[in-house]
């Protein structure tokens, strides 16, 4: 689970055969920026199109070839949490997409019961 916000806009100065996706990854509870988060862009069949990491300020920026279908983004912030966002526009209607990804950290620790 995670929070997600995105906005897209058209920019006539951008290349017509690629889409620019940029954003910032933060931890929801502390609002700190997450450096070195792994960001994976997947097509509609789940194939990896591109993989990159956020910089020291939690930011990322990349260009992808335009697709005729929506894709998804997976963000792994290591101890900061994990986020999957489906139905991301990879150039169908927009040339630029900005992502604000908030990762929620859950503790999944378990204890062993004595019998």
């Amino acid at each position: 689970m995670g929070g997600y916000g995105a906005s897209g806009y058209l920019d006539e100065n951008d290349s017509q055969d690629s889409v620019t996706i940029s954003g910032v990854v933060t931890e929801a509870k502390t609002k700190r920026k997450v450096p070195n988060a792994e960001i994976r862009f997947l097509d509609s069949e789940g194939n990896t199109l591109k993989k990159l990491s956020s910089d020291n300020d939690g930011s990322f920026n990349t260009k992808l070839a335009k697709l005729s279908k929506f894709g998804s983004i997976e963000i792994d912030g290591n101890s900061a949490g994990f986020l999957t966002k489906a139905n991301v526009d990879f150039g169908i209607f927009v040339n630029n997409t900005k992502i604000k990804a908030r990762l929620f950290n859950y503790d999944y620790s378990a204890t062993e019961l004595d019998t």
Side-chain angles (χ1 to χ4, degrees):
M1 291 236 161
Y4 169 80
S7 62
Y9 59 93
L10 292 173
D11 183 348
E12 294 178 14
N13 295 326
D14 278 345
S15 170
Q16 296 301 311
D17 59 351
S18 67
V19 59
T20 299
I21 301 176
S22 60
V24 64
V25 181
T26 59
E27 188 174 6
K29 188 175 182 180
T30 65
K31 297 187 176 149
R32 75 172 176 88
K33 295 180 178 168
V34 180
N36 301 314
E38 183 178 283
I39 301 130
R40 290 180 298 278
F41 300 91
L42 309 169
D43 65 15
S44 59
E45 286 80 37
N47 300 311
T48 300
L49 300 170
K50 193 170 213 179
K51 183 168 46 170
L52 59 116
S53 295
S54 60
D55 64 17
N56 287 336
D57 293 326
S59 299
F60 63 92
N61 187 338
T62 191
K63 283 189 177 272
L64 295 175
K66 284 191 173 190
L67 299 179
S68 61
K69 297 180 181 179
F70 288 92
S72 62
I73 298 175
E74 292 181 347
I75 301 174
D76 184 355
N78 302 308
S79 63
F82 185 83
L83 169 70
T84 299
K85 175 59 185 155
N87 298 318
V88 178
D89 186 344
F90 286 160
I92 300 170
F93 302 112
V94 300
N95 291 332
N96 295 289
T97 300
K98 291 192 176 194
I99 306 290
K100 291 180 183 175
R102 292 179 297 150
L103 303 182
F104 291 85
N105 192 358
Y106 296 99
D107 184 1
Y108 292 107
S109 62
T111 58
E112 201 173 304
L113 298 175
D114 291 330
T115 55

